[in-house]
Amino acid sequence: MKVTDTKLTDVKIIEMDVFGDHRGFFTESYSKAKFAEHGLDFDFVQDNHSLSAEAGVIRGLHFQKGASAQTKLIRVTSGAVLDVIVDIRKGSPTYGQWESYILSEHNHRQLLVPKGYAHGFVTLTPNVNFLYKCDNYYDAAADGGIAFDDPDLAIDWPIDLSKAIMSEKDHNHPTLKEFEAENPFVYGEI
């Protein structure tokens, strides 16, 4: 298992050992003991799975607020995505910064997204199976998001945004500045 730090505070890229031959491959996608050996000790309680049928689907940028905040361990089992996260923890050295990562069925990478990050992705291929573990249960009342097209963030989405396939909800999130007054995430307190 290889754990790589990113430029964003507390975000990790995780690469599990993959054993392949003429039949295909085998990987242990998660081991609580191996994660703990690397200082990644989370109690994941819920697994989520989404299918995006077409390339150009944007989902996000989402998070759960307050006591329902979630750490996520993300991976893609078919297809490929550009996964985007934004640090929204007030006082963080990387507050308001974003990074993106290619996650695919071929690179087997996983992304550990801490509490206090907004998360989203765009599908680069059709038929993307996107899976993630959460260390807290989903709470509809705590659901939140920021605008995928926030001009201050200037996220470099690799598609024509006028043709993005999205939910109505994801078209109506506030910008990070508009969310600031109600932002409950404070670096070091989550």
Side-chain angles (χ1 to χ4, degrees):
M1 177 175 164
K2 178 181 173 187
V3 178
T4 305
D5 291 325
T6 69
K7 77 171 188 174
L8 293 178
T9 308
D10 303 322
V11 175
K12 312 282 185 201
I13 295 173
I14 297 165
E15 296 173 273
M16 302 300 283
D17 295 326
V18 178
F19 306 95
D21 62 21
H22 66 282
R23 300 168 296 163
F25 73 90
F26 171 83
T27 188
E28 192 175 73
S29 61
Y30 175 74
S31 165
K32 187 168 183 67
K34 286 181 182 175
F35 271 59
E37 287 174 16
H38 289 272
L40 305 173
D41 195 15
F42 300 96
D43 185 19
F44 291 114
V45 297
Q46 181 174 319
D47 281 4
N48 297 322
H49 183 161
S50 72
L51 169 67
S52 297
E54 298 180 62
V57 170
I58 293 180
R59 295 180 189 254
L61 299 161
H62 304 145
F63 50 84
Q64 292 273 284
K65 296 179 272 189
S68 297
Q70 298 173 323
T71 297
K72 298 175 182 174
L73 179 62
I74 298 166
R75 66 192 179 107
V76 170
T77 60
S78 66
V81 303
L82 180 75
D83 200 88
V84 176
I85 57 173
V86 180
D87 188 348
I88 60 173
R89 302 169 301 170
K90 294 183 283 189
S92 167
T94 56
Y95 175 80
Q97 295 179 31
W98 64 272
E99 271 198 332
S100 62
Y101 314 88
I102 299 285
L103 303 178
S104 77
E105 66 182 290
H106 302 293
N107 68 19
H108 303 282
R109 285 188 176 153
Q110 297 184 57
L111 185 63
L112 183 73
V113 181
K115 295 174 181 168
Y117 276 82
H119 169 260
F121 64 88
V122 60
T123 57
L124 303 175
T125 64
N127 298 315
V128 171
N129 279 282
F130 187 93
L131 289 80
Y132 58 104
K133 296 182 167 308
C134 300
D135 70 348
N136 211 343
Y137 297 104
Y138 174 77
D139 177 1
D143 196 35
I146 59 173
F148 74 98
D149 58 352
D150 182 331
D152 291 333
L153 296 177
I155 295 170
D156 186 15
W157 297 100
I159 64 166
D160 177 347
L161 294 180
S162 69
K163 296 179 182 176
I165 303 163
M166 300 180 66
S167 71
E168 187 64 31
K169 178 181 92 170
D170 286 347
H171 271 291
N172 294 308
H173 291 306
T175 65
L176 184 56
K177 278 185 184 172
E178 292 167 339
F179 176 66
E180 184 64 30
E182 66 179 89
N183 185 346
F185 300 109
V186 177
Y187 180 68
E189 294 182 11
I190 300 174

